[in-house]
Amino acid sequence: MKDTDKRAKMLGEEKIPKVLIKLAIPAIVAMLVNAVYNLVDTMFVGMLNNTSAIGAISIAFPIFMIIGAFGQMFGVGAGSYISRLLGENNKEMADKTTSTTFFTSLGCGVLFTIVGLIFLEPILKIFGATDTIMPFAKDYSRILVLGSVFTVMNMTLNNMIRAEGNAKYSMVAISLGAGINIALDPIFMFSLGMGIKGAALATVLAQSISSVYLIYYFIAKKSYIKISLKYFAPSKQIYNEIMKIGMATFARQALASLSMGLINIASKPYGDAAVASMGITFRILSIGLFVIFGYNQGFQPVAGYNYGAKQYKRLKEAIKVSLKWTTVFSILMTLVFMFFAKNIVCVFSKDPEVIKIGAKTLRAVTLFFPLFGFQQVYASLFQSLGKGKEALLLSISRQGIFLIPSILILPKLFELNGVIFSQTIADFCTIIVTAILAVKIHKHLNEEENCCYTNQLT
């Protein structure tokens, strides 16, 4: 049996816990590596002993998130549709979706580079760059924007490869880039004396190598789904399917970027130390976030395939197992962040003010983290099932509907504490919305299952 046939058989027939482990662990490793090299980047910049330089990383982070949001929009949207098409045995449309997504996202990456370079300084001001941070932010961000194409392509290709069940290759691609990034950081920053520019250049070079590795997967015909100009078939149907799910992911990341910018702006009155501490805190938190995101990247093709194949019992089992595993992990991470907050922040800065604000912020943002797995499993479920409206609502709740008003209102009432606890309030409100939608989707799945069973009898 071919590897491609084995992957399809695995998604539809193998025991749910086993297939989830097979798909989730490589994705978790890849996302963890991503989180770690983001942290290492911050750690190396911290060695410059310049709080303004660390602040520049915080300012640039929202730009990097926006670039990634475009890649995730195409990748997650196409991945969801491809998984369902493979579950329906519609290989031809899966190939058309893959090729159309690839070439469209490539064009989008080029466009983002042009726009980003033209409007770089105004964008940095919008995201909260102070006069002292701006020179460092420009040096760092300009290079990152030049590598936009690689960022977008990596996000897109990784998601599509996972959609056909080959999470291992995706893991290797991301790990390869991250490992190269970590190796190049000290060489460019210190050995070559490039400082913060070196950190950005290391990131872009590493991502370009990941892009080559991912494209090789398709060129070498290792893939089940195909990328070719002959399959490039832009159509309303394909773009509608991509966007109804992809827009939810884009909205989540774009709003997260906007929210980070607003947090930076709200932190500005309290100095560069406050701006730097916010950036450090959310990068530390990304370890927990990225593990859950990685797990759900393994969960999505399982959910999408079995929903498309109308195997409802397998789908429900996948949901149950995923909720259990992600909740246990979220609780463990909360305990680590709560008890060791100060020690963790000390790794990235020796500035006493940064450590004080950062430790307090880390504890605040993890108050409701035990239920983060619950939030994200259902957000991923709606994406997998093609439920665009619900996926969009959950995606924009945590980082938009609830967080943005919190950032705008709470600092006026509670000053810096308002900035620190804004994410906490947003998480609490998002949990309530998730619970309501979870009840509705289970009722809907039960109805579909009963209808399917009735049709089989008749």
Side-chain angles (χ1 to χ4, degrees):
M1 185 183 293
K2 293 181 180 179
D3 287 344
T4 52
D5 295 328
K6 286 181 180 179
R7 288 197 288 269
K9 185 178 177 66
M10 173 188 67
L11 289 169
E13 298 179 20
E14 202 164 286
K15 289 183 178 180
I16 289 297
K18 189 175 180 180
V19 70
L20 283 172
I21 289 172
K22 276 187 178 180
L23 293 181
I25 287 182
I28 289 171
V29 171
M31 294 298 286
L32 257 182
V33 171
N34 242 330
V36 168
Y37 92 71
N38 276 331
L39 286 172
V40 170
D41 234 19
T42 307
M43 186 175 69
F44 279 123
V45 173
M47 291 179 185
L48 297 173
N49 293 319
N50 189 323
T51 299
S52 295
I54 300 175
I57 300 290
S58 302
I59 296 300
F61 194 48
I63 299 176
F64 195 71
M65 290 172 70
I66 283 286
I67 298 170
F70 281 96
Q72 288 282 52
M73 176 180 70
F74 290 114
V76 172
S80 173
Y81 190 35
I82 290 167
S83 293
R84 285 177 277 130
L85 289 170
L86 294 178
E88 297 166 3
N89 291 316
N90 192 345
K91 173 68 163 51
E92 182 181 353
M93 182 57 80
D95 289 340
K96 288 181 179 179
T97 301
T98 304
S99 298
T100 302
T101 302
F102 173 80
F103 291 111
T104 304
S105 62
L106 178 62
C108 182
V110 173
L111 180 62
F112 193 95
T113 300
I114 296 169
V115 173
L117 290 175
I118 293 173
F119 299 103
L120 183 60
E121 188 163 342
I123 291 172
L124 292 173
K125 287 181 179 178
I126 290 172
F127 285 136
T130 64
D131 291 340
T132 49
I133 288 175
M134 180 61 80
F136 297 99
K138 286 173 67 176
D139 286 343
Y140 186 75
S141 301
R142 185 179 291 110
I143 297 173
L144 285 183
V145 170
L146 282 169
S148 296
V149 171
F150 304 123
T151 304
V152 174
M153 294 309 304
N154 289 350
M155 298 280 188
T156 301
L157 292 171
N158 271 311
N159 278 286
M160 293 196 298
I161 291 172
R162 279 192 292 265
E164 70 165 25
N166 197 348
K168 184 178 179 180
Y169 195 93
S170 174
M171 174 195 74
V172 173
I174 295 176
S175 300
L176 176 67
I180 292 171
N181 192 113
I182 292 170
L184 292 179
D185 262 340
I187 295 173
F188 288 167
M189 291 180 66
F190 305 113
S191 299
L192 300 179
M194 296 178 68
I196 197 169
K197 290 181 181 179
L201 183 59
T203 298
V204 171
L205 286 177
Q207 287 184 340
S208 68
I209 293 171
S210 287
S211 293
V212 171
Y213 186 77
L214 288 165
I215 292 171
Y216 173 77
Y217 177 76
F218 292 94
I219 293 175
K221 298 182 179 180
K222 294 182 178 183
S223 60
Y224 181 54
I225 50 178
K226 306 298 180 185
I227 291 179
S228 172
L229 277 172
K230 70 178 182 180
Y231 293 124
F232 179 62
S235 68
K236 184 177 180 181
Q237 179 184 351
I238 290 176
Y239 286 130
N240 279 346
E241 289 292 338
I242 292 172
M243 292 304 168
K244 77 177 184 180
I245 298 302
M247 280 303 296
T249 301
F250 177 79
R252 183 187 69 215
Q253 289 218 180
L255 286 171
S257 174
L258 175 60
S259 298
M260 280 300 301
L262 290 174
I263 288 172
N264 289 333
I265 292 170
S267 303
K268 276 176 65 174
Y270 310 100
D272 288 0
V275 176
S277 65
M278 293 300 162
I280 290 172
T281 298
F282 283 99
R283 290 205 172 197
I284 293 170
L285 183 64
S286 70
I287 292 180
L289 299 178
F290 280 20
V291 170
I292 300 295
F293 292 153
Y295 177 85
N296 284 328
Q297 287 173 0
F299 166 70
Q300 280 183 338
V302 178
Y305 185 96
N306 286 287
Y307 181 70
K310 300 187 184 303
Q311 298 191 52
Y312 296 102
K313 288 184 179 179
R314 287 177 60 80
L315 172 60
K316 289 179 180 179
E317 185 183 358
I319 297 169
K320 183 178 179 180
V321 171
S322 298
L323 287 172
K324 179 181 176 180
W325 290 353
T326 57
T327 299
V328 169
F329 170 78
S330 297
I331 291 171
L332 291 175
M333 288 305 300
T334 299
L335 294 174
V336 171
F337 288 146
M338 283 288 184
F339 287 106
F340 301 102
K342 186 175 180 180
N343 305 77
I344 295 170
V345 176
C346 282
V347 174
F348 303 95
S349 178
K350 303 305 178 186
D351 187 326
E353 192 66 15
V354 171
I355 296 169
K356 178 183 175 182
I357 297 172
K360 185 175 184 178
T361 304
L362 185 57
R363 292 191 177 102
V365 298
T366 52
L367 280 173
F368 291 109
F369 194 74
L371 291 173
F372 185 74
F374 166 73
Q375 289 179 37
Q376 292 304 310
V377 165
Y378 279 102
S380 297
L381 177 64
F382 285 117
Q383 290 178 337
S384 303
L385 305 188
K387 308 294 182 183
K389 292 180 181 178
E390 294 87 348
L392 178 62
L393 177 58
L394 286 183
S395 294
I396 65 176
S397 290
R398 182 174 182 267
Q399 301 295 145
I401 294 174
F402 301 120
L403 181 56
I404 292 175
S406 297
I407 298 170
L408 295 175
I409 296 170
L410 293 180
K412 294 177 181 178
L413 301 174
F414 306 105
E415 298 182 329
L416 183 57
N417 282 330
V419 182
I420 291 172
F421 285 93
S422 56
Q423 184 67 70
T424 310
I425 300 300
D427 282 340
F428 175 73
C429 296
T430 304
I431 289 166
I432 295 173
V433 173
T434 305
I436 294 170
L437 291 179
V439 171
K440 289 184 176 181
I441 191 60
H442 280 287
K443 181 180 179 181
H444 176 73
L445 289 175
N446 287 335
E447 290 173 353
E448 283 198 24
E449 184 178 16
N450 291 335
C451 181
C452 183
Y453 179 70
T454 302
N455 290 338
Q456 289 175 350
L457 290 177
T458 56

Coordinates of all heavy atoms in Angstrom, one line a residue, residues 401-431:
I401 N -13.2 41.0 20.1 CA -14.5 41.5 20.7 C -14.3 41.8 22.2 O -14.9 42.8 22.6 CB -15.6 40.4 20.5 CG1 -15.9 40.2 19.0 CG2 -16.9 40.8 21.3 CD1 -16.9 39.1 18.8
F402 N -13.6 41.0 22.9 CA -13.4 41.3 24.3 C -12.1 41.9 24.7 O -12.1 42.7 25.7 CB -13.6 39.9 25.1 CG -14.9 39.3 24.9 CD1 -15.0 38.0 24.3 CD2 -16.1 39.9 25.2 CE1 -16.2 37.4 24.1 CE2 -17.3 39.3 25.0 CZ -17.4 38.0 24.4
L403 N -11.0 41.6 24.0 CA -9.7 42.2 24.4 C -9.6 43.6 24.1 O -9.1 44.4 24.9 CB -8.6 41.3 23.8 CG -7.2 41.8 24.1 CD1 -7.0 41.8 25.6 CD2 -6.1 40.9 23.5
I404 N -10.0 44.0 22.9 CA -9.8 45.4 22.4 C -10.5 46.4 23.3 O -9.9 47.4 23.8 CB -10.2 45.6 20.9 CG1 -9.2 44.8 20.1 CG2 -10.2 47.1 20.6 CD1 -9.5 44.8 18.6
P405 N -11.8 46.2 23.6 CA -12.5 47.1 24.6 C -11.8 47.1 26.0 O -11.7 48.1 26.6 CB -13.9 46.5 24.7 CG -14.1 45.8 23.4 CD -12.8 45.2 23.1
S406 N -11.3 45.9 26.4 CA -10.6 45.9 27.7 C -9.4 46.7 27.7 O -9.1 47.5 28.7 CB -10.3 44.4 28.0 OG -11.4 43.6 28.1
I407 N -8.6 46.7 26.6 CA -7.4 47.5 26.5 C -7.7 49.0 26.5 O -7.0 49.8 27.1 CB -6.6 47.1 25.3 CG1 -6.1 45.6 25.4 CG2 -5.4 48.0 25.1 CD1 -5.5 45.1 24.1
L408 N -8.8 49.3 25.8 CA -9.2 50.7 25.7 C -9.8 51.3 26.9 O -9.6 52.5 27.2 CB -10.2 50.9 24.5 CG -9.6 50.5 23.1 CD1 -10.8 50.6 22.1 CD2 -8.5 51.5 22.7
I409 N -10.5 50.5 27.7 CA -11.2 51.0 28.9 C -10.4 50.8 30.2 O -10.3 51.7 31.0 CB -12.6 50.3 29.0 CG1 -13.4 50.6 27.8 CG2 -13.3 50.7 30.3 CD1 -14.7 49.8 27.7
L410 N -9.9 49.6 30.5 CA -9.3 49.3 31.8 C -8.1 50.2 32.2 O -8.0 50.6 33.3 CB -8.9 47.8 31.8 CG -10.1 46.8 31.8 CD1 -9.6 45.4 31.8 CD2 -11.0 47.1 32.9
P411 N -7.2 50.5 31.2 CA -6.1 51.4 31.6 C -6.5 52.7 32.1 O -5.8 53.3 33.0 CB -5.2 51.5 30.4 CG -5.5 50.2 29.6 CD -7.0 50.0 29.9
K412 N -7.6 53.2 31.6 CA -8.1 54.5 32.0 C -8.6 54.5 33.5 O -8.6 55.5 34.2 CB -9.2 55.0 31.1 CG -8.8 55.3 29.7 CD -9.9 55.7 28.8 CE -9.5 55.9 27.4 NZ -10.6 56.3 26.5
L413 N -9.0 53.3 33.9 CA -9.6 53.1 35.2 C -8.5 52.6 36.2 O -8.5 53.1 37.4 CB -10.7 52.1 35.2 CG -11.9 52.5 34.3 CD1 -12.9 51.3 34.3 CD2 -12.6 53.8 34.8
F414 N -7.6 51.8 35.8 CA -6.7 51.1 36.7 C -5.2 51.3 36.3 O -4.4 50.6 36.8 CB -7.0 49.6 36.8 CG -8.4 49.3 37.2 CD1 -9.3 48.9 36.2 CD2 -8.9 49.5 38.5 CE1 -10.7 48.6 36.6 CE2 -10.2 49.3 38.8 CZ -11.1 48.8 37.9
E415 N -5.0 52.2 35.3 CA -3.6 52.5 34.8 C -2.9 51.2 34.4 O -3.5 50.4 33.6 CB -2.8 53.2 36.0 CG -3.5 54.6 36.3 CD -2.7 55.3 37.4 OE1 -2.1 54.7 38.2 OE2 -2.7 56.6 37.3
L416 N -1.6 51.0 34.8 CA -0.9 49.9 34.3 C -1.6 48.5 34.6 O -1.5 47.6 33.8 CB 0.5 49.9 34.9 CG 1.5 48.8 34.3 CD1 1.6 48.8 32.8 CD2 2.9 48.9 35.0
N417 N -2.2 48.4 35.8 CA -2.9 47.2 36.1 C -4.0 46.9 35.1 O -4.3 45.7 34.9 CB -3.5 47.3 37.5 CG -2.5 47.1 38.6 OD1 -1.5 46.4 38.4 ND2 -2.7 47.7 39.8
G418 N -4.6 47.9 34.5 CA -5.6 47.7 33.5 C -5.1 47.1 32.3 O -5.7 46.2 31.6
V419 N -3.8 47.5 31.9 CA -3.1 46.8 30.8 C -2.8 45.4 31.1 O -3.1 44.5 30.3 CB -1.8 47.6 30.5 CG1 -1.1 46.9 29.2 CG2 -2.1 49.1 30.2
I420 N -2.3 45.1 32.3 CA -1.9 43.8 32.7 C -3.1 42.8 32.7 O -2.9 41.7 32.3 CB -1.2 43.9 34.1 CG1 0.1 44.6 34.0 CG2 -1.0 42.5 34.7 CD1 0.8 44.9 35.3
F421 N -4.2 43.2 33.2 CA -5.4 42.3 33.4 C -6.4 42.3 32.2 O -7.4 41.6 32.3 CB -6.1 42.6 34.7 CG -5.4 42.1 35.9 CD1 -4.5 43.0 36.6 CD2 -5.5 40.8 36.3 CE1 -3.8 42.6 37.7 CE2 -4.8 40.4 37.5 CZ -4.0 41.3 38.1
S422 N -6.1 43.0 31.1 CA -7.0 43.1 30.0 C -7.2 41.7 29.3 O -8.3 41.4 29.0 CB -6.5 44.1 29.0 OG -5.2 43.8 28.5
Q423 N -6.1 41.0 29.2 CA -6.3 39.6 28.6 C -7.1 38.7 29.5 O -7.8 37.8 29.0 CB -4.9 39.0 28.3 CG -4.9 37.7 27.5 CD -5.5 37.8 26.1 OE1 -4.8 38.4 25.2 NE2 -6.7 37.3 25.9
T424 N -6.9 38.8 30.8 CA -7.6 38.0 31.7 C -9.1 38.2 31.6 O -9.9 37.2 31.5 CB -7.2 38.4 33.2 OG1 -5.8 38.4 33.3 CG2 -7.8 37.4 34.2
I425 N -9.6 39.4 31.5 CA -11.0 39.7 31.3 C -11.5 39.1 30.0 O -12.6 38.5 29.9 CB -11.3 41.2 31.4 CG1 -10.8 41.8 32.7 CG2 -12.8 41.5 31.1 CD1 -11.5 41.2 33.9
A426 N -10.7 39.3 28.9 CA -11.1 38.8 27.6 C -11.2 37.2 27.6 O -12.1 36.7 27.0 CB -10.1 39.2 26.6
D427 N -10.3 36.6 28.3 CA -10.4 35.1 28.4 C -11.6 34.6 29.1 O -12.3 33.6 28.6 CB -9.1 34.6 29.1 CG -7.9 34.5 28.2 OD1 -8.1 34.6 27.0 OD2 -6.8 34.5 28.8
F428 N -12.0 35.3 30.2 CA -13.2 34.9 30.9 C -14.4 35.0 30.0 O -15.3 34.1 30.0 CB -13.4 35.8 32.1 CG -14.6 35.6 32.9 CD1 -14.8 34.4 33.6 CD2 -15.7 36.5 32.8 CE1 -16.0 34.2 34.3 CE2 -16.9 36.3 33.5 CZ -17.0 35.1 34.3
C429 N -14.6 36.1 29.3 CA -15.7 36.3 28.4 C -15.8 35.3 27.3 O -16.8 34.7 26.9 CB -15.7 37.7 27.9 SG -15.9 39.0 29.1
T430 N -14.6 34.9 26.7 CA -14.5 34.0 25.6 C -14.9 32.6 26.1 O -15.5 31.8 25.3 CB -13.0 34.0 25.1 OG1 -12.7 35.3 24.7 CG2 -13.0 33.0 23.8
I431 N -14.6 32.2 27.3 CA -14.9 30.9 27.8 C -16.5 30.7 27.8 O -17.0 29.7 27.5 CB -14.4 30.7 29.2 CG1 -12.9 30.5 29.2 CG2 -15.0 29.5 29.9 CD1 -12.2 30.7 30.5

